[in-house]
Amino acid sequence: MFKKTYAKNGSKRVRIRGTRFNLDKRQATLQLCFRAAAPQNVNPGIIFRLTPEVDKNCKVKSDVPKTKPIKAEFKKLKEKFPNVNVYAQKKAWADYNVSMTWLNDFRKETPPEEKLLGMDNLGAHCHIDFRHFARTRANSLLLYTPEDCTDLCAVTDAGLGKMVKDMMKMKFDLHFEANPDLWTEEGQLSAADR
């Protein structure tokens, strides 16, 4: 079944590459938007598995995590990587609040001319508020991929995005190989750290 381990021949302890109890949970979601022409000025977005802050009007602030120590780390991340939009969501999903925040960021980062925005059939992307904001405020026409075909015909998942995912996988594997103790149960690397 497994053809590779991260141990040398003769090692008493062998670690196989696989998930442990909490590695099967989504760590983060990467949101990419590529333009067919002109500069690639839409920042990538990353959604971390963190509880977002809720303001006094019960409005979820997807770009601010709830806990104070993490807020400071979040702020450092935003300062270190100003060309990346960082979001917080309990399960690292692009839910309604994250999607609306992302769409507002997209509106700020793109020229005012009308544009065609390809989307998958995620519930948040199909929500009437999202569609209305895209058309009226972001001056965008939405084009949805057919259901259950995202991996086959969406440019981000099948083409350019796959290259990015493959590069991220390579970086993850290099980090895992260089720091295997962090990824074992003794290391207890938290989801936030991952």
Side-chain angles (χ1 to χ4, degrees), residues 94-129:
D95 67 0
Y96 173 84
N97 294 307
V98 170
S99 295
M100 291 300 290
T101 305
W102 176 86
L103 186 58
N104 192 43
D105 291 341
F106 171 82
R107 177 188 62 82
K108 294 174 194 172
E109 295 163 2
T110 56
E113 294 84 34
E114 186 175 71
K115 47 212 145 285
L116 180 65
L117 183 59
M119 307 294 291
D120 58 18
N121 275 289
L122 182 68
H125 298 163
C126 296
H127 195 281
I128 188 72
D129 295 346

PDB file of all heavy atoms in Angstrom, residues 94-129:
ATOM      1  N   ALA A  94     -15.484  28.945   2.272  1.00  0.00           N
ATOM      2  CA  ALA A  94     -15.925  30.197   1.653  1.00  0.00           C
ATOM      3  C   ALA A  94     -17.435  30.295   1.842  1.00  0.00           C
ATOM      4  O   ALA A  94     -18.208  30.060   0.925  1.00  0.00           O
ATOM      5  CB  ALA A  94     -15.551  30.222   0.180  1.00  0.00           C
ATOM      6  N   ASP A  95     -17.841  30.636   3.050  1.00  0.00           N
ATOM      7  CA  ASP A  95     -19.268  30.758   3.340  1.00  0.00           C
ATOM      8  C   ASP A  95     -19.789  32.122   2.859  1.00  0.00           C
ATOM      9  O   ASP A  95     -19.067  32.878   2.204  1.00  0.00           O
ATOM     10  CB  ASP A  95     -19.546  30.534   4.835  1.00  0.00           C
ATOM     11  CG  ASP A  95     -18.959  31.626   5.726  1.00  0.00           C
ATOM     12  OD1 ASP A  95     -18.333  32.577   5.218  1.00  0.00           O
ATOM     13  OD2 ASP A  95     -19.132  31.523   6.951  1.00  0.00           O
ATOM     14  N   TYR A  96     -21.031  32.428   3.188  1.00  0.00           N
ATOM     15  CA  TYR A  96     -21.661  33.678   2.753  1.00  0.00           C
ATOM     16  C   TYR A  96     -20.822  34.901   3.145  1.00  0.00           C
ATOM     17  O   TYR A  96     -20.527  35.757   2.307  1.00  0.00           O
ATOM     18  CB  TYR A  96     -23.077  33.771   3.343  1.00  0.00           C
ATOM     19  CG  TYR A  96     -23.754  35.094   3.098  1.00  0.00           C
ATOM     20  CD1 TYR A  96     -24.422  35.339   1.903  1.00  0.00           C
ATOM     21  CD2 TYR A  96     -23.714  36.104   4.055  1.00  0.00           C
ATOM     22  CE1 TYR A  96     -25.037  36.554   1.667  1.00  0.00           C
ATOM     23  CE2 TYR A  96     -24.325  37.324   3.822  1.00  0.00           C
ATOM     24  CZ  TYR A  96     -24.984  37.556   2.631  1.00  0.00           C
ATOM     25  OH  TYR A  96     -25.583  38.765   2.403  1.00  0.00           O
ATOM     26  N   ASN A  97     -20.432  34.992   4.423  1.00  0.00           N
ATOM     27  CA  ASN A  97     -19.713  36.178   4.901  1.00  0.00           C
ATOM     28  C   ASN A  97     -18.347  36.322   4.251  1.00  0.00           C
ATOM     29  O   ASN A  97     -17.956  37.412   3.836  1.00  0.00           O
ATOM     30  CB  ASN A  97     -19.579  36.136   6.428  1.00  0.00           C
ATOM     31  CG  ASN A  97     -20.916  36.248   7.104  1.00  0.00           C
ATOM     32  OD1 ASN A  97     -21.687  37.159   6.842  1.00  0.00           O
ATOM     33  ND2 ASN A  97     -21.228  35.297   7.961  1.00  0.00           N
ATOM     34  N   VAL A  98     -17.617  35.229   4.157  1.00  0.00           N
ATOM     35  CA  VAL A  98     -16.304  35.286   3.509  1.00  0.00           C
ATOM     36  C   VAL A  98     -16.464  35.654   2.035  1.00  0.00           C
ATOM     37  O   VAL A  98     -15.726  36.490   1.505  1.00  0.00           O
ATOM     38  CB  VAL A  98     -15.557  33.940   3.650  1.00  0.00           C
ATOM     39  CG1 VAL A  98     -14.318  33.908   2.778  1.00  0.00           C
ATOM     40  CG2 VAL A  98     -15.188  33.677   5.104  1.00  0.00           C
ATOM     41  N   SER A  99     -17.427  35.052   1.366  1.00  0.00           N
ATOM     42  CA  SER A  99     -17.625  35.318  -0.064  1.00  0.00           C
ATOM     43  C   SER A  99     -18.007  36.776  -0.318  1.00  0.00           C
ATOM     44  O   SER A  99     -17.525  37.394  -1.276  1.00  0.00           O
ATOM     45  CB  SER A  99     -18.690  34.378  -0.644  1.00  0.00           C
ATOM     46  OG  SER A  99     -18.232  33.053  -0.598  1.00  0.00           O
ATOM     47  N   MET A 100     -18.852  37.327   0.531  1.00  0.00           N
ATOM     48  CA  MET A 100     -19.229  38.740   0.368  1.00  0.00           C
ATOM     49  C   MET A 100     -18.028  39.653   0.629  1.00  0.00           C
ATOM     50  O   MET A 100     -17.833  40.638  -0.089  1.00  0.00           O
ATOM     51  CB  MET A 100     -20.393  39.093   1.307  1.00  0.00           C
ATOM     52  CG  MET A 100     -21.713  38.425   0.938  1.00  0.00           C
ATOM     53  SD  MET A 100     -22.327  38.847  -0.718  1.00  0.00           S
ATOM     54  CE  MET A 100     -22.795  40.559  -0.490  1.00  0.00           C
ATOM     55  N   THR A 101     -17.213  39.322   1.630  1.00  0.00           N
ATOM     56  CA  THR A 101     -16.012  40.116   1.908  1.00  0.00           C
ATOM     57  C   THR A 101     -15.035  40.002   0.742  1.00  0.00           C
ATOM     58  O   THR A 101     -14.446  40.998   0.306  1.00  0.00           O
ATOM     59  CB  THR A 101     -15.348  39.645   3.219  1.00  0.00           C
ATOM     60  OG1 THR A 101     -16.311  39.686   4.273  1.00  0.00           O
ATOM     61  CG2 THR A 101     -14.172  40.533   3.599  1.00  0.00           C
ATOM     62  N   TRP A 102     -14.860  38.769   0.218  1.00  0.00           N
ATOM     63  CA  TRP A 102     -13.971  38.573  -0.928  1.00  0.00           C
ATOM     64  C   TRP A 102     -14.463  39.380  -2.137  1.00  0.00           C
ATOM     65  O   TRP A 102     -13.676  40.022  -2.830  1.00  0.00           O
ATOM     66  CB  TRP A 102     -13.884  37.084  -1.304  1.00  0.00           C
ATOM     67  CG  TRP A 102     -13.050  36.895  -2.529  1.00  0.00           C
ATOM     68  CD1 TRP A 102     -11.688  36.769  -2.585  1.00  0.00           C
ATOM     69  CD2 TRP A 102     -13.504  36.873  -3.891  1.00  0.00           C
ATOM     70  NE1 TRP A 102     -11.276  36.660  -3.892  1.00  0.00           N
ATOM     71  CE2 TRP A 102     -12.365  36.722  -4.717  1.00  0.00           C
ATOM     72  CE3 TRP A 102     -14.755  36.965  -4.485  1.00  0.00           C
ATOM     73  CZ2 TRP A 102     -12.458  36.654  -6.105  1.00  0.00           C
ATOM     74  CZ3 TRP A 102     -14.843  36.902  -5.864  1.00  0.00           C
ATOM     75  CH2 TRP A 102     -13.699  36.745  -6.667  1.00  0.00           C
ATOM     76  N   LEU A 103     -15.772  39.354  -2.392  1.00  0.00           N
ATOM     77  CA  LEU A 103     -16.323  40.073  -3.542  1.00  0.00           C
ATOM     78  C   LEU A 103     -16.089  41.577  -3.405  1.00  0.00           C
ATOM     79  O   LEU A 103     -15.780  42.262  -4.380  1.00  0.00           O
ATOM     80  CB  LEU A 103     -17.815  39.768  -3.707  1.00  0.00           C
ATOM     81  CG  LEU A 103     -18.492  40.332  -4.946  1.00  0.00           C
ATOM     82  CD1 LEU A 103     -17.815  39.842  -6.221  1.00  0.00           C
ATOM     83  CD2 LEU A 103     -19.968  39.957  -4.954  1.00  0.00           C
ATOM     84  N   ASN A 104     -16.188  42.091  -2.207  1.00  0.00           N
ATOM     85  CA  ASN A 104     -15.915  43.512  -1.982  1.00  0.00           C
ATOM     86  C   ASN A 104     -14.435  43.805  -2.232  1.00  0.00           C
ATOM     87  O   ASN A 104     -14.089  44.827  -2.839  1.00  0.00           O
ATOM     88  CB  ASN A 104     -16.325  43.931  -0.576  1.00  0.00           C
ATOM     89  CG  ASN A 104     -16.328  45.429  -0.414  1.00  0.00           C
ATOM     90  OD1 ASN A 104     -16.799  46.163  -1.276  1.00  0.00           O
ATOM     91  ND2 ASN A 104     -15.785  45.890   0.693  1.00  0.00           N
ATOM     92  N   ASP A 105     -13.545  42.906  -1.792  1.00  0.00           N
ATOM     93  CA  ASP A 105     -12.109  43.074  -2.079  1.00  0.00           C
ATOM     94  C   ASP A 105     -11.859  43.010  -3.587  1.00  0.00           C
ATOM     95  O   ASP A 105     -11.082  43.802  -4.128  1.00  0.00           O
ATOM     96  CB  ASP A 105     -11.290  41.988  -1.363  1.00  0.00           C
ATOM     97  CG  ASP A 105     -11.268  42.156   0.153  1.00  0.00           C
ATOM     98  OD1 ASP A 105     -11.555  43.274   0.633  1.00  0.00           O
ATOM     99  OD2 ASP A 105     -10.984  41.164   0.847  1.00  0.00           O
ATOM    100  N   PHE A 106     -12.529  42.076  -4.259  1.00  0.00           N
ATOM    101  CA  PHE A 106     -12.419  41.942  -5.716  1.00  0.00           C
ATOM    102  C   PHE A 106     -12.830  43.255  -6.393  1.00  0.00           C
ATOM    103  O   PHE A 106     -12.162  43.736  -7.301  1.00  0.00           O
ATOM    104  CB  PHE A 106     -13.306  40.783  -6.195  1.00  0.00           C
ATOM    105  CG  PHE A 106     -13.443  40.673  -7.676  1.00  0.00           C
ATOM    106  CD1 PHE A 106     -12.461  40.039  -8.435  1.00  0.00           C
ATOM    107  CD2 PHE A 106     -14.556  41.189  -8.335  1.00  0.00           C
ATOM    108  CE1 PHE A 106     -12.586  39.928  -9.817  1.00  0.00           C
ATOM    109  CE2 PHE A 106     -14.687  41.086  -9.710  1.00  0.00           C
ATOM    110  CZ  PHE A 106     -13.695  40.458 -10.450  1.00  0.00           C
ATOM    111  N   ARG A 107     -13.925  43.838  -5.926  1.00  0.00           N
ATOM    112  CA  ARG A 107     -14.418  45.106  -6.483  1.00  0.00           C
ATOM    113  C   ARG A 107     -13.357  46.202  -6.361  1.00  0.00           C
ATOM    114  O   ARG A 107     -13.117  46.968  -7.297  1.00  0.00           O
ATOM    115  CB  ARG A 107     -15.688  45.536  -5.742  1.00  0.00           C
ATOM    116  CG  ARG A 107     -16.254  46.877  -6.183  1.00  0.00           C
ATOM    117  CD  ARG A 107     -17.386  47.337  -5.281  1.00  0.00           C
ATOM    118  NE  ARG A 107     -16.980  47.553  -3.907  1.00  0.00           N
ATOM    119  CZ  ARG A 107     -16.385  48.666  -3.457  1.00  0.00           C
ATOM    120  NH1 ARG A 107     -16.131  49.671  -4.279  1.00  0.00           N
ATOM    121  NH2 ARG A 107     -16.064  48.778  -2.191  1.00  0.00           N
ATOM    122  N   LYS A 108     -12.680  46.263  -5.212  1.00  0.00           N
ATOM    123  CA  LYS A 108     -11.667  47.290  -4.988  1.00  0.00           C
ATOM    124  C   LYS A 108     -10.414  47.064  -5.839  1.00  0.00           C
ATOM    125  O   LYS A 108      -9.727  48.021  -6.189  1.00  0.00           O
ATOM    126  CB  LYS A 108     -11.248  47.301  -3.508  1.00  0.00           C
ATOM    127  CG  LYS A 108     -12.333  47.733  -2.555  1.00  0.00           C
ATOM    128  CD  LYS A 108     -11.829  47.564  -1.130  1.00  0.00           C
ATOM    129  CE  LYS A 108     -12.949  47.645  -0.125  1.00  0.00           C
ATOM    130  NZ  LYS A 108     -12.480  47.298   1.231  1.00  0.00           N
ATOM    131  N   GLU A 109     -10.121  45.799  -6.147  1.00  0.00           N
ATOM    132  CA  GLU A 109      -8.865  45.455  -6.823  1.00  0.00           C
ATOM    133  C   GLU A 109      -8.968  45.445  -8.346  1.00  0.00           C
ATOM    134  O   GLU A 109      -7.958  45.339  -9.026  1.00  0.00           O
ATOM    135  CB  GLU A 109      -8.382  44.073  -6.345  1.00  0.00           C
ATOM    136  CG  GLU A 109      -8.017  44.064  -4.871  1.00  0.00           C
ATOM    137  CD  GLU A 109      -7.932  42.661  -4.283  1.00  0.00           C
ATOM    138  OE1 GLU A 109      -8.127  41.680  -5.023  1.00  0.00           O
ATOM    139  OE2 GLU A 109      -7.681  42.569  -3.073  1.00  0.00           O
ATOM    140  N   THR A 110     -10.164  45.525  -8.881  1.00  0.00           N
ATOM    141  CA  THR A 110     -10.329  45.429 -10.333  1.00  0.00           C
ATOM    142  C   THR A 110     -10.790  46.762 -10.913  1.00  0.00           C
ATOM    143  O   THR A 110     -11.375  47.585 -10.216  1.00  0.00           O
ATOM    144  CB  THR A 110     -11.354  44.331 -10.693  1.00  0.00           C
ATOM    145  OG1 THR A 110     -12.584  44.599 -10.031  1.00  0.00           O
ATOM    146  CG2 THR A 110     -10.844  42.967 -10.294  1.00  0.00           C
ATOM    147  N   PRO A 111     -10.529  46.971 -12.196  1.00  0.00           N
ATOM    148  CA  PRO A 111     -10.967  48.220 -12.830  1.00  0.00           C
ATOM    149  C   PRO A 111     -12.496  48.307 -12.869  1.00  0.00           C
ATOM    150  O   PRO A 111     -13.183  47.284 -12.782  1.00  0.00           O
ATOM    151  CB  PRO A 111     -10.382  48.139 -14.240  1.00  0.00           C
ATOM    152  CG  PRO A 111      -9.875  46.771 -14.425  1.00  0.00           C
ATOM    153  CD  PRO A 111      -9.807  46.097 -13.098  1.00  0.00           C
ATOM    154  N   PRO A 112     -13.031  49.501 -13.013  1.00  0.00           N
ATOM    155  CA  PRO A 112     -14.487  49.668 -12.965  1.00  0.00           C
ATOM    156  C   PRO A 112     -15.230  49.133 -14.188  1.00  0.00           C
ATOM    157  O   PRO A 112     -16.444  48.965 -14.148  1.00  0.00           O
ATOM    158  CB  PRO A 112     -14.671  51.182 -12.850  1.00  0.00           C
ATOM    159  CG  PRO A 112     -13.421  51.775 -13.414  1.00  0.00           C
ATOM    160  CD  PRO A 112     -12.325  50.774 -13.143  1.00  0.00           C
ATOM    161  N   GLU A 113     -14.502  48.829 -15.272  1.00  0.00           N
ATOM    162  CA  GLU A 113     -15.179  48.317 -16.469  1.00  0.00           C
ATOM    163  C   GLU A 113     -15.866  46.987 -16.164  1.00  0.00           C
ATOM    164  O   GLU A 113     -15.469  46.254 -15.278  1.00  0.00           O
ATOM    165  CB  GLU A 113     -14.177  48.093 -17.614  1.00  0.00           C
ATOM    166  CG  GLU A 113     -13.549  49.353 -18.157  1.00  0.00           C
ATOM    167  CD  GLU A 113     -12.355  49.801 -17.327  1.00  0.00           C
ATOM    168  OE1 GLU A 113     -11.636  48.949 -16.794  1.00  0.00           O
ATOM    169  OE2 GLU A 113     -12.158  51.024 -17.207  1.00  0.00           O
ATOM    170  N   GLU A 114     -16.898  46.703 -16.988  1.00  0.00           N
ATOM    171  CA  GLU A 114     -17.629  45.452 -16.809  1.00  0.00           C
ATOM    172  C   GLU A 114     -16.700  44.259 -17.039  1.00  0.00           C
ATOM    173  O   GLU A 114     -15.838  44.289 -17.901  1.00  0.00           O
ATOM    174  CB  GLU A 114     -18.793  45.385 -17.795  1.00  0.00           C
ATOM    175  CG  GLU A 114     -19.694  44.181 -17.579  1.00  0.00           C
ATOM    176  CD  GLU A 114     -20.906  44.212 -18.483  1.00  0.00           C
ATOM    177  OE1 GLU A 114     -20.718  44.005 -19.706  1.00  0.00           O
ATOM    178  OE2 GLU A 114     -22.007  44.450 -17.974  1.00  0.00           O
ATOM    179  N   LYS A 115     -16.887  43.213 -16.214  1.00  0.00           N
ATOM    180  CA  LYS A 115     -16.058  42.018 -16.343  1.00  0.00           C
ATOM    181  C   LYS A 115     -16.902  40.766 -16.194  1.00  0.00           C
ATOM    182  O   LYS A 115     -17.987  40.802 -15.631  1.00  0.00           O
ATOM    183  CB  LYS A 115     -14.916  42.018 -15.331  1.00  0.00           C
ATOM    184  CG  LYS A 115     -15.304  42.351 -13.919  1.00  0.00           C
ATOM    185  CD  LYS A 115     -14.162  43.079 -13.230  1.00  0.00           C
ATOM    186  CE  LYS A 115     -14.594  44.131 -12.265  1.00  0.00           C
ATOM    187  NZ  LYS A 115     -15.080  45.352 -12.677  1.00  0.00           N
ATOM    188  N   LEU A 116     -16.395  39.671 -16.722  1.00  0.00           N
ATOM    189  CA  LEU A 116     -17.044  38.379 -16.614  1.00  0.00           C
ATOM    190  C   LEU A 116     -16.309  37.598 -15.534  1.00  0.00           C
ATOM    191  O   LEU A 116     -15.092  37.440 -15.596  1.00  0.00           O
ATOM    192  CB  LEU A 116     -16.977  37.629 -17.942  1.00  0.00           C
ATOM    193  CG  LEU A 116     -17.621  36.247 -17.984  1.00  0.00           C
ATOM    194  CD1 LEU A 116     -19.128  36.350 -17.771  1.00  0.00           C
ATOM    195  CD2 LEU A 116     -17.325  35.578 -19.326  1.00  0.00           C
ATOM    196  N   LEU A 117     -17.040  37.126 -14.531  1.00  0.00           N
ATOM    197  CA  LEU A 117     -16.433  36.425 -13.400  1.00  0.00           C
ATOM    198  C   LEU A 117     -16.952  34.994 -13.373  1.00  0.00           C
ATOM    199  O   LEU A 117     -18.134  34.754 -13.164  1.00  0.00           O
ATOM    200  CB  LEU A 117     -16.788  37.169 -12.099  1.00  0.00           C
ATOM    201  CG  LEU A 117     -16.207  36.643 -10.800  1.00  0.00           C
ATOM    202  CD1 LEU A 117     -14.678  36.635 -10.843  1.00  0.00           C
ATOM    203  CD2 LEU A 117     -16.677  37.518  -9.640  1.00  0.00           C
ATOM    204  N   GLY A 118     -16.048  34.040 -13.629  1.00  0.00           N
ATOM    205  CA  GLY A 118     -16.426  32.626 -13.595  1.00  0.00           C
ATOM    206  C   GLY A 118     -16.461  32.123 -12.167  1.00  0.00           C
ATOM    207  O   GLY A 118     -15.529  32.345 -11.408  1.00  0.00           O
ATOM    208  N   MET A 119     -17.541  31.448 -11.805  1.00  0.00           N
ATOM    209  CA  MET A 119     -17.713  30.942 -10.438  1.00  0.00           C
ATOM    210  C   MET A 119     -18.173  29.499 -10.497  1.00  0.00           C
ATOM    211  O   MET A 119     -18.756  29.061 -11.480  1.00  0.00           O
ATOM    212  CB  MET A 119     -18.799  31.751  -9.698  1.00  0.00           C
ATOM    213  CG  MET A 119     -18.637  33.254  -9.696  1.00  0.00           C
ATOM    214  SD  MET A 119     -17.205  33.839  -8.798  1.00  0.00           S
ATOM    215  CE  MET A 119     -17.626  33.486  -7.132  1.00  0.00           C
ATOM    216  N   ASP A 120     -17.927  28.765  -9.400  1.00  0.00           N
ATOM    217  CA  ASP A 120     -18.529  27.438  -9.318  1.00  0.00           C
ATOM    218  C   ASP A 120     -19.900  27.586  -8.659  1.00  0.00           C
ATOM    219  O   ASP A 120     -20.338  28.693  -8.382  1.00  0.00           O
ATOM    220  CB  ASP A 120     -17.629  26.448  -8.580  1.00  0.00           C
ATOM    221  CG  ASP A 120     -17.273  26.885  -7.169  1.00  0.00           C
ATOM    222  OD1 ASP A 120     -17.964  27.756  -6.623  1.00  0.00           O
ATOM    223  OD2 ASP A 120     -16.315  26.338  -6.610  1.00  0.00           O
ATOM    224  N   ASN A 121     -20.565  26.497  -8.414  1.00  0.00           N
ATOM    225  CA  ASN A 121     -21.929  26.556  -7.889  1.00  0.00           C
ATOM    226  C   ASN A 121     -21.991  26.514  -6.365  1.00  0.00           C
ATOM    227  O   ASN A 121     -22.940  25.984  -5.800  1.00  0.00           O
ATOM    228  CB  ASN A 121     -22.763  25.408  -8.477  1.00  0.00           C
ATOM    229  CG  ASN A 121     -23.325  25.790  -9.812  1.00  0.00           C
ATOM    230  OD1 ASN A 121     -24.210  26.618  -9.900  1.00  0.00           O
ATOM    231  ND2 ASN A 121     -22.788  25.198 -10.863  1.00  0.00           N
ATOM    232  N   LEU A 122     -21.005  27.071  -5.719  1.00  0.00           N
ATOM    233  CA  LEU A 122     -21.014  27.159  -4.262  1.00  0.00           C
ATOM    234  C   LEU A 122     -22.242  27.952  -3.834  1.00  0.00           C
ATOM    235  O   LEU A 122     -22.561  28.981  -4.437  1.00  0.00           O
ATOM    236  CB  LEU A 122     -19.728  27.847  -3.791  1.00  0.00           C
ATOM    237  CG  LEU A 122     -19.523  27.993  -2.292  1.00  0.00           C
ATOM    238  CD1 LEU A 122     -19.299  26.611  -1.663  1.00  0.00           C
ATOM    239  CD2 LEU A 122     -18.330  28.879  -2.019  1.00  0.00           C
ATOM    240  N   GLY A 123     -22.903  27.487  -2.789  1.00  0.00           N
ATOM    241  CA  GLY A 123     -24.130  28.144  -2.334  1.00  0.00           C
ATOM    242  C   GLY A 123     -23.967  29.640  -2.099  1.00  0.00           C
ATOM    243  O   GLY A 123     -24.835  30.437  -2.456  1.00  0.00           O
ATOM    244  N   ALA A 124     -22.838  30.031  -1.498  1.00  0.00           N
ATOM    245  CA  ALA A 124     -22.606  31.454  -1.228  1.00  0.00           C
ATOM    246  C   ALA A 124     -22.486  32.258  -2.520  1.00  0.00           C
ATOM    247  O   ALA A 124     -22.915  33.410  -2.584  1.00  0.00           O
ATOM    248  CB  ALA A 124     -21.346  31.622  -0.382  1.00  0.00           C
ATOM    249  N   HIS A 125     -21.933  31.642  -3.568  1.00  0.00           N
ATOM    250  CA  HIS A 125     -21.778  32.349  -4.846  1.00  0.00           C
ATOM    251  C   HIS A 125     -23.108  32.481  -5.584  1.00  0.00           C
ATOM    252  O   HIS A 125     -23.263  33.344  -6.437  1.00  0.00           O
ATOM    253  CB  HIS A 125     -20.791  31.618  -5.753  1.00  0.00           C
ATOM    254  CG  HIS A 125     -19.410  31.538  -5.194  1.00  0.00           C
ATOM    255  ND1 HIS A 125     -18.477  30.664  -5.663  1.00  0.00           N
ATOM    256  CD2 HIS A 125     -18.806  32.229  -4.198  1.00  0.00           C
ATOM    257  CE1 HIS A 125     -17.354  30.808  -4.989  1.00  0.00           C
ATOM    258  NE2 HIS A 125     -17.535  31.756  -4.092  1.00  0.00           N
ATOM    259  N   CYS A 126     -24.040  31.593  -5.279  1.00  0.00           N
ATOM    260  CA  CYS A 126     -25.355  31.621  -5.941  1.00  0.00           C
ATOM    261  C   CYS A 126     -26.368  32.455  -5.154  1.00  0.00           C
ATOM    262  O   CYS A 126     -27.476  32.692  -5.638  1.00  0.00           O
ATOM    263  CB  CYS A 126     -25.884  30.197  -6.099  1.00  0.00           C
ATOM    264  SG  CYS A 126     -24.856  29.185  -7.179  1.00  0.00           S
ATOM    265  N   HIS A 127     -25.995  32.884  -3.950  1.00  0.00           N
ATOM    266  CA  HIS A 127     -26.920  33.659  -3.109  1.00  0.00           C
ATOM    267  C   HIS A 127     -27.314  34.955  -3.805  1.00  0.00           C
ATOM    268  O   HIS A 127     -26.497  35.592  -4.477  1.00  0.00           O
ATOM    269  CB  HIS A 127     -26.244  33.955  -1.760  1.00  0.00           C
ATOM    270  CG  HIS A 127     -27.184  34.419  -0.712  1.00  0.00           C
ATOM    271  ND1 HIS A 127     -27.648  35.709  -0.666  1.00  0.00           N
ATOM    272  CD2 HIS A 127     -27.758  33.761   0.313  1.00  0.00           C
ATOM    273  CE1 HIS A 127     -28.468  35.840   0.362  1.00  0.00           C
ATOM    274  NE2 HIS A 127     -28.549  34.658   0.979  1.00  0.00           N
ATOM    275  N   ILE A 128     -28.548  35.358  -3.644  1.00  0.00           N
ATOM    276  CA  ILE A 128     -29.066  36.555  -4.317  1.00  0.00           C
ATOM    277  C   ILE A 128     -28.271  37.810  -3.949  1.00  0.00           C
ATOM    278  O   ILE A 128     -28.022  38.665  -4.800  1.00  0.00           O
ATOM    279  CB  ILE A 128     -30.591  36.738  -4.045  1.00  0.00           C
ATOM    280  CG1 ILE A 128     -31.168  37.863  -4.914  1.00  0.00           C
ATOM    281  CG2 ILE A 128     -30.862  36.994  -2.577  1.00  0.00           C
ATOM    282  CD1 ILE A 128     -31.281  37.528  -6.350  1.00  0.00           C
ATOM    283  N   ASP A 129     -27.833  37.912  -2.683  1.00  0.00           N
ATOM    284  CA  ASP A 129     -27.042  39.081  -2.267  1.00  0.00           C
ATOM    285  C   ASP A 129     -25.709  39.131  -3.013  1.00  0.00           C
ATOM    286  O   ASP A 129     -25.257  40.195  -3.428  1.00  0.00           O
ATOM    287  CB  ASP A 129     -26.768  39.052  -0.761  1.00  0.00           C
ATOM    288  CG  ASP A 129     -28.028  39.177   0.073  1.00  0.00           C
ATOM    289  OD1 ASP A 129     -29.087  39.555  -0.478  1.00  0.00           O
ATOM    290  OD2 ASP A 129     -27.958  38.891   1.292  1.00  0.00           O
TER     291      ASP A 129
END
